[in-house]
PDB file of all heavy atoms in Angstrom:
ATOM      1  N   LEU A 492       9.355-120.011  73.507  1.00 91.00           N
ATOM      2  CA  LEU A 492       8.608-119.648  74.726  1.00 91.00           C
ATOM      3  C   LEU A 492       9.443-119.368  75.885  1.00 91.00           C
ATOM      4  O   LEU A 492      10.287-120.210  76.329  1.00 91.00           O
ATOM      5  CB  LEU A 492       7.563-120.681  74.975  1.00 91.00           C
ATOM      6  CG  LEU A 492       6.644-120.471  76.134  1.00 91.00           C
ATOM      7  CD1 LEU A 492       5.736-119.277  75.872  1.00 91.00           C
ATOM      8  CD2 LEU A 492       5.729-121.663  76.467  1.00 91.00           C
ATOM      9  N   VAL A 493       9.145-118.320  76.582  1.00 90.00           N
ATOM     10  CA  VAL A 493       9.696-117.992  77.885  1.00 90.00           C
ATOM     11  C   VAL A 493       8.651-118.023  78.928  1.00 90.00           C
ATOM     12  O   VAL A 493       7.609-117.462  78.762  1.00 90.00           O
ATOM     13  CB  VAL A 493      10.389-116.578  77.920  1.00 90.00           C
ATOM     14  CG1 VAL A 493      10.805-116.141  79.347  1.00 90.00           C
ATOM     15  CG2 VAL A 493      11.606-116.404  77.001  1.00 90.00           C
ATOM     16  N   PRO A 494       8.769-118.894  79.999  1.00 86.00           N
ATOM     17  CA  PRO A 494       7.718-119.042  80.909  1.00 86.00           C
ATOM     18  C   PRO A 494       7.570-117.859  81.967  1.00 86.00           C
ATOM     19  O   PRO A 494       7.945-117.920  83.042  1.00 86.00           O
ATOM     20  CB  PRO A 494       8.008-120.315  81.650  1.00 86.00           C
ATOM     21  CG  PRO A 494       9.568-120.356  81.591  1.00 86.00           C
ATOM     22  CD  PRO A 494       9.942-119.726  80.285  1.00 86.00           C
ATOM     23  N   GLN A 533      18.927-117.434  71.894  1.00 91.00           N
ATOM     24  CA  GLN A 533      20.329-117.069  71.643  1.00 91.00           C
ATOM     25  C   GLN A 533      21.179-118.198  71.179  1.00 91.00           C
ATOM     26  O   GLN A 533      22.172-117.977  70.406  1.00 91.00           O
ATOM     27  CB  GLN A 533      20.854-116.440  72.933  1.00 91.00           C
ATOM     28  CG  GLN A 533      20.484-114.948  73.130  1.00 91.00           C
ATOM     29  CD  GLN A 533      19.016-114.808  73.546  1.00 91.00           C
ATOM     30  OE1 GLN A 533      18.395-115.731  73.870  1.00 91.00           O
ATOM     31  NE2 GLN A 533      18.574-113.547  73.628  1.00 91.00           N
ATOM     32  N   HIS A 534      20.906-119.427  71.646  1.00 91.00           N
ATOM     33  CA  HIS A 534      21.821-120.492  71.310  1.00 91.00           C
ATOM     34  C   HIS A 534      21.690-120.924  69.817  1.00 91.00           C
ATOM     35  O   HIS A 534      22.442-121.802  69.323  1.00 91.00           O
ATOM     36  CB  HIS A 534      21.715-121.692  72.248  1.00 91.00           C
ATOM     37  CG  HIS A 534      20.430-121.892  72.926  1.00 91.00           C
ATOM     38  ND1 HIS A 534      19.531-120.949  73.249  1.00 91.00           N
ATOM     39  CD2 HIS A 534      19.844-123.051  73.349  1.00 91.00           C
ATOM     40  CE1 HIS A 534      18.495-121.495  73.909  1.00 91.00           C
ATOM     41  NE2 HIS A 534      18.654-122.691  73.926  1.00 91.00           N
ATOM     42  N   ASN A 580      21.220-109.223  73.415  1.00 91.00           N
ATOM     43  CA  ASN A 580      20.542-109.998  74.532  1.00 91.00           C
ATOM     44  C   ASN A 580      19.859-109.031  75.410  1.00 91.00           C
ATOM     45  O   ASN A 580      19.990-107.838  75.246  1.00 91.00           O
ATOM     46  CB  ASN A 580      21.534-110.815  75.253  1.00 91.00           C
ATOM     47  CG  ASN A 580      21.080-112.111  75.837  1.00 91.00           C
ATOM     48  OD1 ASN A 580      19.920-112.199  76.247  1.00 91.00           O
ATOM     49  ND2 ASN A 580      21.914-113.091  75.945  1.00 91.00           N
ATOM     50  N   ASP A 581      19.164-109.518  76.331  1.00 95.00           N
ATOM     51  CA  ASP A 581      18.403-108.708  77.324  1.00 95.00           C
ATOM     52  C   ASP A 581      19.249-107.752  77.975  1.00 95.00           C
ATOM     53  O   ASP A 581      20.269-108.169  78.669  1.00 95.00           O
ATOM     54  CB  ASP A 581      17.701-109.613  78.325  1.00 95.00           C
ATOM     55  CG  ASP A 581      16.755-110.543  77.731  1.00 95.00           C
ATOM     56  OD1 ASP A 581      16.190-110.270  76.556  1.00 95.00           O
ATOM     57  OD2 ASP A 581      16.463-111.659  78.222  1.00 95.00           O
ATOM     58  N   LEU A 599      10.395-109.714  78.645  1.00 90.00           N
ATOM     59  CA  LEU A 599      10.415-111.082  79.173  1.00 90.00           C
ATOM     60  C   LEU A 599      11.187-111.242  80.397  1.00 90.00           C
ATOM     61  O   LEU A 599      11.202-112.216  81.041  1.00 90.00           O
ATOM     62  CB  LEU A 599      10.786-112.064  78.131  1.00 90.00           C
ATOM     63  CG  LEU A 599       9.887-112.163  76.880  1.00 90.00           C
ATOM     64  CD1 LEU A 599      10.539-112.990  75.775  1.00 90.00           C
ATOM     65  CD2 LEU A 599       8.487-112.648  77.216  1.00 90.00           C
ATOM     66  N   LEU A 600      11.953-110.152  80.746  1.00 93.00           N
ATOM     67  CA  LEU A 600      12.830-110.179  81.921  1.00 93.00           C
ATOM     68  C   LEU A 600      12.289-109.021  82.802  1.00 93.00           C
ATOM     69  O   LEU A 600      12.893-107.907  82.734  1.00 93.00           O
ATOM     70  CB  LEU A 600      14.309-109.985  81.611  1.00 93.00           C
ATOM     71  CG  LEU A 600      15.360-110.017  82.648  1.00 93.00           C
ATOM     72  CD1 LEU A 600      15.132-111.222  83.577  1.00 93.00           C
ATOM     73  CD2 LEU A 600      16.743-110.028  82.160  1.00 93.00           C
ATOM     74  N   LEU A 625      24.167-107.645  82.950  1.00 97.00           N
ATOM     75  CA  LEU A 625      23.841-108.341  81.794  1.00 97.00           C
ATOM     76  C   LEU A 625      24.741-108.148  80.580  1.00 97.00           C
ATOM     77  O   LEU A 625      24.863-108.945  79.632  1.00 97.00           O
ATOM     78  CB  LEU A 625      22.397-107.998  81.483  1.00 97.00           C
ATOM     79  CG  LEU A 625      21.180-108.472  82.325  1.00 97.00           C
ATOM     80  CD1 LEU A 625      19.928-107.726  82.054  1.00 97.00           C
ATOM     81  CD2 LEU A 625      21.108-110.002  82.205  1.00 97.00           C
ATOM     82  N   TYR A 631      28.561-114.360  84.126  1.00 96.00           N
ATOM     83  CA  TYR A 631      27.509-115.345  84.176  1.00 96.00           C
ATOM     84  C   TYR A 631      28.078-116.502  85.033  1.00 96.00           C
ATOM     85  O   TYR A 631      29.269-116.873  84.964  1.00 96.00           O
ATOM     86  CB  TYR A 631      27.237-115.931  82.752  1.00 96.00           C
ATOM     87  CG  TYR A 631      26.598-114.928  81.819  1.00 96.00           C
ATOM     88  CD1 TYR A 631      26.554-115.155  80.481  1.00 96.00           C
ATOM     89  CD2 TYR A 631      26.103-113.663  82.206  1.00 96.00           C
ATOM     90  CE1 TYR A 631      25.969-114.257  79.572  1.00 96.00           C
ATOM     91  CE2 TYR A 631      25.502-112.814  81.347  1.00 96.00           C
ATOM     92  CZ  TYR A 631      25.449-113.114  80.002  1.00 96.00           C
ATOM     93  OH  TYR A 631      24.931-112.183  79.167  1.00 96.00           O
ATOM     94  N   SER A 632      27.264-117.088  85.681  1.00 95.00           N
ATOM     95  CA  SER A 632      27.597-118.260  86.475  1.00 95.00           C
ATOM     96  C   SER A 632      27.323-119.652  85.739  1.00 95.00           C
ATOM     97  O   SER A 632      26.687-119.613  84.711  1.00 95.00           O
ATOM     98  CB  SER A 632      26.825-118.323  87.812  1.00 95.00           C
ATOM     99  OG  SER A 632      25.350-118.386  87.588  1.00 95.00           O
ATOM    100  N   CYS A 635      27.381-121.202  81.308  1.00 95.00           N
ATOM    101  CA  CYS A 635      27.316-119.974  80.430  1.00 95.00           C
ATOM    102  C   CYS A 635      28.471-119.134  80.668  1.00 95.00           C
ATOM    103  O   CYS A 635      29.039-118.474  79.738  1.00 95.00           O
ATOM    104  CB  CYS A 635      26.024-119.267  80.617  1.00 95.00           C
ATOM    105  SG  CYS A 635      24.717-119.926  79.758  1.00 95.00           S
ATOM    106  N   GLY A 645      25.252-116.450  74.941  1.00 92.00           N
ATOM    107  CA  GLY A 645      24.942-115.879  76.302  1.00 92.00           C
ATOM    108  C   GLY A 645      23.691-116.389  76.872  1.00 92.00           C
ATOM    109  O   GLY A 645      23.286-116.200  78.016  1.00 92.00           O
ATOM    110  N   GLY A 646      22.996-117.383  76.126  1.00 94.00           N
ATOM    111  CA  GLY A 646      21.761-117.871  76.620  1.00 94.00           C
ATOM    112  C   GLY A 646      20.610-116.790  76.671  1.00 94.00           C
ATOM    113  O   GLY A 646      20.889-115.682  76.734  1.00 94.00           O
ATOM    114  N   SER A 647      19.401-117.221  76.856  1.00 95.00           N
ATOM    115  CA  SER A 647      18.303-116.355  77.066  1.00 95.00           C
ATOM    116  C   SER A 647      18.400-115.980  78.543  1.00 95.00           C
ATOM    117  O   SER A 647      18.006-116.706  79.424  1.00 95.00           O
ATOM    118  CB  SER A 647      16.949-116.999  76.729  1.00 95.00           C
ATOM    119  OG  SER A 647      15.880-116.118  77.114  1.00 95.00           O
ATOM    120  N   ARG A 648      18.601-114.736  78.815  1.00 96.00           N
ATOM    121  CA  ARG A 648      18.585-114.203  80.229  1.00 96.00           C
ATOM    122  C   ARG A 648      17.144-114.240  80.741  1.00 96.00           C
ATOM    123  O   ARG A 648      17.006-114.371  81.923  1.00 96.00           O
ATOM    124  CB  ARG A 648      19.335-112.850  80.220  1.00 96.00           C
ATOM    125  CG  ARG A 648      20.689-112.664  79.863  1.00 96.00           C
ATOM    126  CD  ARG A 648      21.620-113.479  80.759  1.00 96.00           C
ATOM    127  NE  ARG A 648      22.019-114.806  80.345  1.00 96.00           N
ATOM    128  CZ  ARG A 648      22.365-115.861  81.080  1.00 96.00           C
ATOM    129  NH1 ARG A 648      22.378-115.636  82.403  1.00 96.00           N
ATOM    130  NH2 ARG A 648      22.662-116.981  80.625  1.00 96.00           N
ATOM    131  N   SER A 649      16.216-114.021  79.939  1.00 94.00           N
ATOM    132  CA  SER A 649      14.783-114.030  80.362  1.00 94.00           C
ATOM    133  C   SER A 649      14.396-115.370  80.820  1.00 94.00           C
ATOM    134  O   SER A 649      13.817-115.572  81.817  1.00 94.00           O
ATOM    135  CB  SER A 649      13.967-113.592  79.208  1.00 94.00           C
ATOM    136  OG  SER A 649      14.226-112.265  78.762  1.00 94.00           O
ATOM    137  N   ARG A 650      14.734-116.391  79.893  1.00 94.00           N
ATOM    138  CA  ARG A 650      14.311-117.863  80.271  1.00 94.00           C
ATOM    139  C   ARG A 650      15.014-118.248  81.514  1.00 94.00           C
ATOM    140  O   ARG A 650      14.518-118.945  82.383  1.00 94.00           O
ATOM    141  CB  ARG A 650      14.558-118.719  79.084  1.00 94.00           C
ATOM    142  CG  ARG A 650      13.967-120.086  79.291  1.00 94.00           C
ATOM    143  CD  ARG A 650      14.114-120.969  78.087  1.00 94.00           C
ATOM    144  NE  ARG A 650      13.521-120.407  76.952  1.00 94.00           N
ATOM    145  CZ  ARG A 650      14.194-119.971  75.880  1.00 94.00           C
ATOM    146  NH1 ARG A 650      15.532-119.955  75.909  1.00 94.00           N
ATOM    147  NH2 ARG A 650      13.573-119.394  74.869  1.00 94.00           N
ATOM    148  N   THR A 651      16.389-117.885  81.586  1.00 95.00           N
ATOM    149  CA  THR A 651      17.192-118.266  82.749  1.00 95.00           C
ATOM    150  C   THR A 651      16.518-117.666  84.061  1.00 95.00           C
ATOM    151  O   THR A 651      16.408-118.456  85.037  1.00 95.00           O
ATOM    152  CB  THR A 651      18.640-117.692  82.635  1.00 95.00           C
ATOM    153  OG1 THR A 651      19.255-118.335  81.514  1.00 95.00           O
ATOM    154  CG2 THR A 651      19.340-117.959  83.854  1.00 95.00           C
ATOM    155  N   TYR A 652      16.118-116.452  84.017  1.00 95.00           N
ATOM    156  CA  TYR A 652      15.554-115.815  85.254  1.00 95.00           C
ATOM    157  C   TYR A 652      14.180-116.475  85.506  1.00 95.00           C
ATOM    158  O   TYR A 652      13.871-116.761  86.669  1.00 95.00           O
ATOM    159  CB  TYR A 652      15.358-114.337  84.943  1.00 95.00           C
ATOM    160  CG  TYR A 652      14.696-113.613  86.132  1.00 95.00           C
ATOM    161  CD1 TYR A 652      15.365-113.360  87.309  1.00 95.00           C
ATOM    162  CD2 TYR A 652      13.377-113.214  85.990  1.00 95.00           C
ATOM    163  CE1 TYR A 652      14.776-112.680  88.367  1.00 95.00           C
ATOM    164  CE2 TYR A 652      12.694-112.490  87.107  1.00 95.00           C
ATOM    165  CZ  TYR A 652      13.435-112.328  88.194  1.00 95.00           C
ATOM    166  OH  TYR A 652      12.806-111.685  89.286  1.00 95.00           O
ATOM    167  N   ALA A 653      13.384-116.706  84.548  1.00 93.00           N
ATOM    168  CA  ALA A 653      11.982-117.285  84.679  1.00 93.00           C
ATOM    169  C   ALA A 653      12.121-118.653  85.326  1.00 93.00           C
ATOM    170  O   ALA A 653      11.297-119.029  86.195  1.00 93.00           O
ATOM    171  CB  ALA A 653      11.304-117.360  83.348  1.00 93.00           C
ATOM    172  N   VAL A 654      13.124-119.391  85.040  1.00 94.00           N
ATOM    173  CA  VAL A 654      13.196-120.775  85.489  1.00 94.00           C
ATOM    174  C   VAL A 654      13.996-120.864  86.834  1.00 94.00           C
ATOM    175  O   VAL A 654      13.633-121.644  87.732  1.00 94.00           O
ATOM    176  CB  VAL A 654      13.915-121.721  84.434  1.00 94.00           C
ATOM    177  CG1 VAL A 654      14.096-123.067  84.992  1.00 94.00           C
ATOM    178  CG2 VAL A 654      12.997-121.756  83.184  1.00 94.00           C
ATOM    179  N   THR A 655      15.053-120.116  86.957  1.00 94.00           N
ATOM    180  CA  THR A 655      15.983-120.271  88.097  1.00 94.00           C
ATOM    181  C   THR A 655      15.827-119.134  89.079  1.00 94.00           C
ATOM    182  O   THR A 655      16.256-119.288  90.271  1.00 94.00           O
ATOM    183  CB  THR A 655      17.447-120.267  87.613  1.00 94.00           C
ATOM    184  OG1 THR A 655      17.844-118.959  87.188  1.00 94.00           O
ATOM    185  CG2 THR A 655      17.671-121.229  86.555  1.00 94.00           C
ATOM    186  N   GLY A 656      15.327-117.931  88.711  1.00 95.00           N
ATOM    187  CA  GLY A 656      15.238-116.773  89.588  1.00 95.00           C
ATOM    188  C   GLY A 656      16.513-116.026  89.632  1.00 95.00           C
ATOM    189  O   GLY A 656      16.653-115.035  90.433  1.00 95.00           O
ATOM    190  N   ASP A 657      17.580-116.466  88.906  1.00 97.00           N
ATOM    191  CA  ASP A 657      18.831-115.816  88.767  1.00 97.00           C
ATOM    192  C   ASP A 657      19.114-115.457  87.296  1.00 97.00           C
ATOM    193  O   ASP A 657      19.396-116.353  86.589  1.00 97.00           O
ATOM    194  CB  ASP A 657      19.908-116.691  89.359  1.00 97.00           C
ATOM    195  CG  ASP A 657      21.324-116.119  89.249  1.00 97.00           C
ATOM    196  OD1 ASP A 657      21.486-114.954  88.896  1.00 97.00           O
ATOM    197  OD2 ASP A 657      22.247-116.796  89.744  1.00 97.00           O
ATOM    198  N   TYR A 658      19.088-114.050  87.045  1.00 97.00           N
ATOM    199  CA  TYR A 658      19.328-113.779  85.647  1.00 97.00           C
ATOM    200  C   TYR A 658      20.743-113.906  85.112  1.00 97.00           C
ATOM    201  O   TYR A 658      20.953-113.790  83.920  1.00 97.00           O
ATOM    202  CB  TYR A 658      18.804-112.279  85.462  1.00 97.00           C
ATOM    203  CG  TYR A 658      19.600-111.282  86.172  1.00 97.00           C
ATOM    204  CD1 TYR A 658      20.756-110.631  85.679  1.00 97.00           C
ATOM    205  CD2 TYR A 658      19.000-110.784  87.344  1.00 97.00           C
ATOM    206  CE1 TYR A 658      21.341-109.628  86.428  1.00 97.00           C
ATOM    207  CE2 TYR A 658      19.688-109.832  88.074  1.00 97.00           C
ATOM    208  CZ  TYR A 658      20.871-109.212  87.577  1.00 97.00           C
ATOM    209  OH  TYR A 658      21.524-108.192  88.293  1.00 97.00           O
ATOM    210  N   MET A 659      21.672-114.235  85.983  1.00 97.00           N
ATOM    211  CA  MET A 659      23.066-114.505  85.591  1.00 97.00           C
ATOM    212  C   MET A 659      23.469-115.958  85.573  1.00 97.00           C
ATOM    213  O   MET A 659      24.593-116.383  85.313  1.00 97.00           O
ATOM    214  CB  MET A 659      24.011-113.755  86.550  1.00 97.00           C
ATOM    215  CG  MET A 659      23.818-112.269  86.503  1.00 97.00           C
ATOM    216  SD  MET A 659      24.289-111.488  84.923  1.00 97.00           S
ATOM    217  CE  MET A 659      26.058-111.436  85.058  1.00 97.00           C
ATOM    218  N   ALA A 660      22.493-116.885  85.851  1.00 97.00           N
ATOM    219  CA  ALA A 660      22.737-118.306  85.804  1.00 97.00           C
ATOM    220  C   ALA A 660      22.775-118.860  84.408  1.00 97.00           C
ATOM    221  O   ALA A 660      22.653-118.113  83.385  1.00 97.00           O
ATOM    222  CB  ALA A 660      21.650-119.014  86.627  1.00 97.00           C
ATOM    223  N   SER A 661      22.970-120.104  84.241  1.00 96.00           N
ATOM    224  CA  SER A 661      23.105-120.750  82.948  1.00 96.00           C
ATOM    225  C   SER A 661      21.710-120.898  82.310  1.00 96.00           C
ATOM    226  O   SER A 661      20.736-121.292  83.001  1.00 96.00           O
ATOM    227  CB  SER A 661      23.701-122.120  83.113  1.00 96.00           C
ATOM    228  OG  SER A 661      25.067-122.048  83.399  1.00 96.00           O
ATOM    229  N   GLU A 662      21.711-120.680  80.984  1.00 95.00           N
ATOM    230  CA  GLU A 662      20.496-121.132  80.222  1.00 95.00           C
ATOM    231  C   GLU A 662      20.067-122.508  80.471  1.00 95.00           C
ATOM    232  O   GLU A 662      20.845-123.468  80.222  1.00 95.00           O
ATOM    233  CB  GLU A 662      20.811-120.859  78.711  1.00 95.00           C
ATOM    234  CG  GLU A 662      19.919-121.571  77.750  1.00 95.00           C
ATOM    235  CD  GLU A 662      18.441-120.970  77.648  1.00 95.00           C
ATOM    236  OE1 GLU A 662      18.354-119.868  77.202  1.00 95.00           O
ATOM    237  OE2 GLU A 662      17.566-121.718  78.016  1.00 95.00           O
ATOM    238  N   PRO A 663      18.858-122.755  81.039  1.00 94.00           N
ATOM    239  CA  PRO A 663      18.466-124.106  81.404  1.00 94.00           C
ATOM    240  C   PRO A 663      18.008-125.008  80.275  1.00 94.00           C
ATOM    241  O   PRO A 663      17.824-126.132  80.424  1.00 94.00           O
ATOM    242  CB  PRO A 663      17.237-123.770  82.355  1.00 94.00           C
ATOM    243  CG  PRO A 663      16.673-122.502  81.902  1.00 94.00           C
ATOM    244  CD  PRO A 663      17.875-121.680  81.401  1.00 94.00           C
ATOM    245  N   PHE A 664      17.887-124.429  79.071  1.00 95.00           N
ATOM    246  CA  PHE A 664      17.391-125.205  77.970  1.00 95.00           C
ATOM    247  C   PHE A 664      18.480-125.298  76.829  1.00 95.00           C
ATOM    248  O   PHE A 664      18.085-125.337  75.651  1.00 95.00           O
ATOM    249  CB  PHE A 664      16.114-124.650  77.426  1.00 95.00           C
ATOM    250  CG  PHE A 664      14.854-124.829  78.304  1.00 95.00           C
ATOM    251  CD1 PHE A 664      14.543-123.791  79.228  1.00 95.00           C
ATOM    252  CD2 PHE A 664      14.166-126.018  78.295  1.00 95.00           C
ATOM    253  CE1 PHE A 664      13.548-123.971  80.044  1.00 95.00           C
ATOM    254  CE2 PHE A 664      13.073-126.177  79.132  1.00 95.00           C
ATOM    255  CZ  PHE A 664      12.703-125.132  80.069  1.00 95.00           C
ATOM    256  N   CYS A 665      19.709-125.411  77.254  1.00 96.00           N
ATOM    257  CA  CYS A 665      20.774-125.570  76.261  1.00 96.00           C
ATOM    258  C   CYS A 665      21.525-126.882  76.460  1.00 96.00           C
ATOM    259  O   CYS A 665      21.865-127.172  77.699  1.00 96.00           O
ATOM    260  CB  CYS A 665      21.812-124.439  76.507  1.00 96.00           C
ATOM    261  SG  CYS A 665      23.215-124.576  75.379  1.00 96.00           S
TER     262      CYS A 665
END
Side-chain angles (χ1 to χ4, degrees):
L492 182 66
V493 173
Q533 278 76 6
H534 30 329
N580 210 327
D581 302 331
L599 299 169
L600 181 51
L625 289 166
Y631 294 165
S632 60
C635 279
S647 168
R648 296 296 98 205
S649 295
R650 190 179 298 107
T651 296
Y652 178 75
V654 175
T655 71
D657 179 0
Y658 60 88
M659 297 294 279
S661 289
E662 158 71 64
F664 290 94
C665 177

